[in-house]
């Protein structure tokens, strides 16, 4: 097990400091989060804990980045 994996596991066991956001919640809220972000709104305040989840979850971070690129591209049209 790599050190970063261990740290992530320990972090999960200790629990997040902010309200817990799992991958399922992240997936549900990601559309809204990205739209708020691109609108210049305070997405972190609207969906507490999601930013922290993205920081700790590479899969959701990747999803966030691709969704953001997609929505930004749609708005540019
Ligand atoms: Zn996740």
């Amino acid at each position: 097990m790599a050190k970063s994996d261990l740290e992530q596991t320990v972090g999960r066991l200790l629990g997040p400091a902010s309200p817990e956001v799992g991958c399922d919640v992240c997936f549900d809220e990601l559309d809204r989060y990205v739209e708020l972000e691109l609108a210049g709104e305070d997405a972190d305040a609207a969906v507490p804990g999601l930013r922290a989840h993205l920081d700790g979850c590479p899969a959701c971070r990747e999803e966030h980045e691709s969704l953001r690129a997609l929505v930004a591209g749609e708005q540019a049209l």
Side-chain angles (χ1 to χ4, degrees), residues 21-24 26 53 57-61:
V21 170
C23 289
D24 50 347
C26 180
H53 181 80
C57 182
C60 288
R61 192 162 61 231

Side-chain angles (χ1 to χ4, degrees), residues 1-9:
M1 189 184 276
K3 188 168 183 287
S4 60
D5 288 342
L6 180 62
E7 280 171 357
Q8 281 185 15
T9 303

Side-chain angles (χ1 to χ4, degrees), residues 8-47:
Q8 281 185 15
T9 303
V10 171
R12 269 199 295 277
L13 290 174
L14 294 174
S18 49
E20 191 161 351
V21 170
C23 289
D24 50 347
V25 174
C26 180
F27 190 79
D28 285 346
E29 299 284 6
L30 202 55
D31 278 8
R32 191 160 72 93
Y33 185 86
V34 166
E35 276 173 19
L36 288 168
E37 231 181 6
L38 291 173
E41 303 284 337
D42 193 350
D44 294 328
V47 193

